[in-house]
Amino acid sequence: MEKFFKPRSVAVIGATPKPKGGLSILLNLLKGFKGSVYPINPNYKEIQEVTCYPNVKDIPGDVDLAIVFVPARFVPQAIADCGLKGIQRVMIQSAGFAETGVEGKKLQEEVSKAAADAGIRLWGPNCLGMVDLTNKNIFSFTASTIWSVDRIPGTVSLIVQSGMLAGAFLSDAISHGTMGVSKVCSIGNKCDVDECDILEYLISDPDTSTIGMYLESIPNGRRFAGLCKTSSKPIVVLKGGKSKAGAKAAASHTASMAQDGALISGILAQYGVTEAKDFKQMLDLCRAFSYAPDMRGRTKGRVAILTFSGGAGIIAADFLEQHGLELAEISQATREKLEAIYPAWMPVANPIDLWPAVEQHGTRKAYVTALEAVRDDPGVDAVSVSTYYAGTAEDWGTDDTAGSDGANAAEMWGIEEVAPGIREKGKFLFSWIIGLMDPARKAHMHLQSHGVPVYREMGRAVESVGAVFARARTLEQAKNITDFTPPPIDDTCLDLIDRINGVADEHISKKILGLAGVPVVAEKVVTSEADAAETGEQLGWPVVMKGLVSGEVHKTEMGLVRLDIRSKDQAGQIFNALKTGAPEHTRILMQKQVEKDLELILGVMRDPYFGPCVMCGVGGVFAEAIQDVAFSMAPLTLQEAMDMTFRLKSQSLLNGFRGAAPVDREALAKITVSLGQLANNVPAIQEIDINPIIIKNGMPVAVDATIITN
């Protein structure tokens, strides 16, 4: 990937002096790129006072990268010419390929084959290319006005599976002062280079500290998950196409295939990736991660709130609880420092309302004193500081000296003076600002240039900081993973699986699961009234009887399940009833009826992109209606399986509802790990459904199950 990001020479196939994309690409290269630039167009001898060549084959020197911006029908020939020239990296920014339909897909396949035959790596097509603001390498048709916008140097890099959206992200981030950006990579249709290739590069890129991604598909799912798992850098992902409508739009936009939203969310959570729900949130989360110090030693998330308004402090405190943070209990030493600037009538508390102190001592002294106090407080992990910009210092009637310029107004608060010391203490300082548009924006830029992330919405600020602490807790937990090795998959288990022809019945499925380490209910297939009566005595009343029909999964809907059988006579009658009303060759299964506190569902699905994945959720007859489930990719560790249970929304049920014992999460997690190993080690297994797995006195046992093979 190095030649895509740091080539020594670039050819622009489709360069033009006319105000089109080919000119924008050339102008951006000439403005910042330090290597050789070769415009390619047979109609011109010179463009922008640079020699123009009719074909890449005519360039006298070597070329590391070719950027193609010609109509789609001419791209195959351009690729062939690059192959003859020996160019091994080509970025196609032209549209008109798989995103347009059948004919476009055929054209994209033709281009891909030509590139593969020539040993060329392709980036695109249908993309905006790459913008590297840190190194001033703008390999894109984005408007050259990008060079004239004031921006904050930054370390956030973005991977965007869209062309124009990448440009929108970039222009929004730098013009609004949202955050400092290092690189923006638009990958479009991903006919060759994909998010995994770019992600792997950015993980090792010294100019990148945080990676944000907008993706519509993740075809190399297991490679992607592996990269996320090993990344030391925070990754934020916004996944498009998770709904039915969104999936349809994704297919028409970049020929992407939809993937199950719950599955994607589960795998992202499993490997410590923060998931965003919208575009602005993705940028806000990236901003928080890029400015945050290493928080692994401060996982409690105890926040001191410094505010100019009591009401703002109350709302901020409400948000803390919503996002897994807590209001810090400030120390006596901190209280004494604040009492020195507070009026005698006002008690010191967190949230720390500083406006009365501002009126007595001026803005800068009040804020600097408070910031220094919480900086030194061992009970504080993060500091939220809110400010208000509404004019000059004179307008405020204070003794502070500050002009109407937003940067000078920001200095009036003194935040940048204390910010480095707070960061050195390993504490996260972030700001919420409000006020007139122009001074507030300038103050925003000023504070972020001093390492303080700024938000215009208090809720989004706390949410973003909460995500930083959530990731810190995940990293901390990863140190304490308990080893657990499920039973090996032996020949007896494999032989049973080999006998399955599509859908295994419940009895065979549970035999396999029992051998794999899943606790299953005691049961037996009965063959007569007498056998049913005797088996009921052996199992202990009450019992359950079920009709097993080959290839059928939904026994309840077929009327083949009878509960609460309590005598020999009743067992014999139900045996005959099930035999009479069921299809030929139906077997009758009798099992001990298990009392229940809770019904859960465990399962396995083999995703075409992520391979075998396990599921845990609320089960029973309402499983599909409630859809409270969590997914992880197999194989998984015991800690990852434990984490799945905490991602469910129905925590009150798992913790013991109405006097029931709480679920033994470790026992449940061990079953999940065993299922993951079974599916990972036996490719023939396509699905496993354990519904329900009954919880009684906290312990799980499988009472119904189905295994489906290919």
Side-chain angles (χ1 to χ4, degrees):
M1 300 302 295
E2 190 74 9
K3 285 187 177 180
F4 278 118
F5 285 91
K6 295 181 180 179
R8 294 166 298 178
S9 52
V10 179
V12 183
I13 302 175
T16 175
K18 298 177 182 179
K20 296 182 178 181
L23 176 60
S24 295
I25 294 170
L26 184 60
L27 289 174
N28 285 328
L29 283 165
L30 296 175
K31 184 78 173 180
F33 180 57
K34 304 303 182 187
S36 302
V37 179
Y38 302 107
I40 307 297
N41 192 319
N43 299 316
Y44 303 97
K45 298 291 185 182
E46 187 179 272
I47 302 177
Q48 292 292 311
E49 300 181 355
V50 179
T51 301
C52 185
Y53 297 90
N55 192 292
V56 289
K57 295 180 292 184
D58 301 316
I59 297 173
D62 294 333
V63 179
D64 286 340
L65 172 66
I67 300 176
V68 177
F69 197 84
V70 296
R73 65 184 183 277
F74 298 127
V75 172
Q77 184 58 54
I79 298 300
D81 292 339
C82 288
L84 293 173
K85 176 62 180 174
I87 303 172
Q88 296 184 321
R89 301 292 181 271
V90 176
M91 188 179 286
I92 305 173
Q93 298 185 19
S94 313
F97 293 90
E99 79 279 2
T100 64
V102 176
E103 292 304 314
K105 185 178 180 181
K106 289 180 180 177
L107 184 58
Q108 184 168 310
E109 290 171 351
E110 179 185 346
V111 169
S112 296
K113 184 179 185 305
D117 291 344
I120 295 172
R121 294 297 311 272
L122 289 181
W123 178 316
N126 183 33
C127 71
L128 194 73
M130 192 275 294
V131 174
D132 181 349
L133 293 173
T134 301
N135 297 295
K136 298 183 179 179
N137 288 339
I138 298 186
F139 305 156
S140 170
F141 62 85
T142 187
S144 57
T145 52
I146 189 174
W147 296 98
S148 60
V149 178
D150 290 337
R151 67 180 186 87
I152 305 165
T155 58
V156 174
S157 290
L158 303 175
I159 302 172
V160 184
Q161 189 183 344
S162 173
M164 298 312 297
L165 185 60
F169 271 133
L170 181 63
S171 60
D172 187 276
I174 66 174
S175 64
H176 288 77
T178 303
M179 64 184 180
V181 175
S182 177
K183 296 174 178 66
V184 177
C185 306
S186 167
I187 52 179
N189 291 11
K190 306 189 298 188
C191 72
D192 177 16
V193 171
D194 65 8
E195 62 281 344
C196 294
D197 297 311
I198 309 288
L199 177 59
E200 186 173 34
Y201 180 87
L202 294 178
I203 287 173
S204 61
D205 176 29
D207 300 325
T208 298
S209 70
T210 302
I211 302 164
M213 310 176 77
Y214 166 69
L215 301 173
E216 292 162 4
S217 66
I218 310 176
N220 295 318
R222 292 186 83 81
R223 182 187 174 200
F224 176 81
L227 289 167
C228 292
K229 183 177 183 179
T230 58
S231 173
S232 61
K233 298 178 180 179
I235 299 172
V236 179
V237 170
L238 171 60
K239 174 65 173 64
K242 295 200 296 185
S243 66
K244 290 182 179 179
K248 184 177 180 180
S252 64
H253 181 46
T254 53
S256 302
M257 296 184 67
Q259 296 172 329
D260 186 274
L263 174 65
I264 295 292
S265 295
I267 293 172
L268 293 178
Q270 178 183 5
Y271 294 121
V273 176
T274 302
E275 186 176 11
K277 304 301 182 185
D278 64 45
F279 298 118
K280 287 286 190 180
Q281 185 194 35
M282 186 184 92
L283 296 179
D284 284 342
L285 290 166
C286 286
R287 177 158 76 256
F289 280 117
S290 68
Y291 284 105
D294 187 342
M295 306 305 301
R296 276 176 287 186
R298 297 183 177 277
T299 56
K300 291 183 179 179
R302 300 165 297 183
V303 183
I305 300 172
L306 277 60
T307 178
F308 61 86
S309 158
I314 292 169
I315 297 298
D318 290 341
F319 281 125
L320 292 183
E321 187 172 315
Q322 293 177 29
H323 296 292
L325 302 170
E326 60 185 72
L327 203 60
E329 184 67 39
I330 57 177
S331 68
Q332 183 58 36
T334 298
R335 292 178 185 278
E336 291 173 0
K337 292 174 184 176
L338 293 172
E339 285 170 354
I341 58 171
Y342 264 45
W345 54 266
M346 185 173 185
V348 174
N350 185 21
I352 301 167
D353 185 354
L354 288 171
W355 192 248
V358 167
E359 290 182 325
Q360 285 199 1
H361 303 282
T363 308
R364 190 176 188 88
K365 182 176 180 180
Y367 268 77
V368 168
T369 300
L371 284 165
E372 289 177 342
V374 295
R375 175 196 64 194
D376 299 330
D377 192 324
V380 173
D381 301 314
V383 181
S384 169
V385 57
S386 60
T387 54
Y388 173 45
Y389 298 91
T392 67
E394 288 79 7
D395 294 332
W396 288 42
T398 74
D399 295 331
D400 301 294
T401 56
S404 60
D405 179 81
N408 290 335
E411 291 176 359
M412 182 173 70
W413 300 81
I415 299 170
E416 77 286 345
E417 177 182 323
V418 191
I422 293 176
R423 189 178 183 87
E424 287 171 8
K425 292 273 189 177
K427 301 183 180 185
F428 192 1
L429 173 62
F430 62 101
S431 179
W432 170 66
I433 66 172
I434 195 169
L436 295 175
M437 182 176 66
D438 187 55
R441 180 188 178 277
K442 290 179 179 178
H444 183 145
M445 300 283 285
H446 174 78
L447 288 176
Q448 289 200 164
S449 70
H450 285 83
V452 182
V454 177
Y455 295 85
R456 300 304 303 274
E457 296 180 33
M458 186 187 297
R460 191 58 65 81
V462 177
E463 175 186 58
S464 300
V465 174
V468 170
F469 279 95
R471 181 173 185 271
R473 285 190 286 270
T474 299
L475 293 174
E476 199 70 27
Q477 289 170 354
K479 297 178 181 178
N480 304 313
I481 294 175
T482 304
D483 289 332
F484 169 67
T485 303
I489 311 301
D490 62 17
D491 290 341
T492 303
C493 185
L494 292 173
D495 184 56
L496 287 170
I497 294 170
D498 286 341
R499 296 180 189 179
I500 300 173
N501 183 22
V503 180
D505 67 36
E506 174 184 338
H507 186 53
I508 296 299
S509 296
K510 282 187 287 190
K511 275 189 175 181
I512 295 168
L513 294 174
L515 291 169
V518 178
V520 296
V521 66
E523 63 185 25
K524 179 187 174 184
V525 172
V526 295
T527 57
S528 66
E529 291 181 56
D531 190 12
E534 182 180 349
T535 301
E537 288 287 318
Q538 293 171 352
L539 293 175
W541 311 102
V543 297
V544 177
M545 295 178 71
K546 303 176 181 179
L548 304 179
V549 180
S550 178
E552 292 292 340
V553 176
H554 302 292
K555 297 180 290 296
T556 301
E557 289 80 349
M558 296 178 67
L560 297 177
V561 178
R562 300 288 194 277
L563 305 175
D564 205 31
I565 302 166
R566 294 181 175 271
S567 69
K568 292 181 178 181
D569 290 343
Q570 191 181 7
Q573 293 169 6
I574 290 176
F575 177 87
N576 288 328
L578 288 173
K579 271 292 188 180
T580 302
E584 190 178 359
H585 305 304
T586 297
R587 299 191 300 161
I588 307 303
L589 178 67
M590 180 178 281
Q591 60 187 207
K592 175 67 178 174
Q593 181 165 308
V594 181
E595 296 299 318
K596 63 185 178 183
D597 295 327
L598 177 65
E599 291 185 340
L600 298 178
I601 182 172
L602 293 177
V604 167
M605 62 168 290
R606 192 171 296 275
D607 184 78
Y609 306 107
F610 289 95
C613 299
V614 293
M615 177 194 68
C616 174
V618 175
V621 294
F622 298 111
E624 292 185 7
I626 298 174
Q627 292 190 352
D628 183 10
V629 296
F631 285 88
S632 288
M633 196 174 78
L636 68 166
T637 66
L638 186 62
Q639 182 65 56
E640 289 168 346
M642 291 276 283
D643 291 342
M644 282 181 67
T645 68
F646 287 101
R647 296 206 301 268
L648 296 174
K649 296 187 287 289
S650 307
Q651 290 300 306
S652 60
L653 296 179
L654 274 71
N655 290 334
F657 188 64
R658 292 187 173 180
V663 174
D664 187 326
R665 294 184 191 246
E666 184 171 339
L668 186 65
K670 287 180 177 178
I671 297 173
T672 309
V673 173
S674 298
L675 285 177
Q677 175 185 262
L678 178 62
N680 193 64
N681 291 358
V682 186
I685 293 177
Q686 295 300 296
E687 296 180 37
I688 299 174
D689 183 43
I690 307 177
N691 184 25
I693 187 161
I694 282 180
I695 308 296
K696 181 61 179 176
N697 296 325
M699 298 306 296
V701 59
V703 300
D704 197 353
T706 303
I707 294 178
I708 301 174
T709 70
N710 59 8

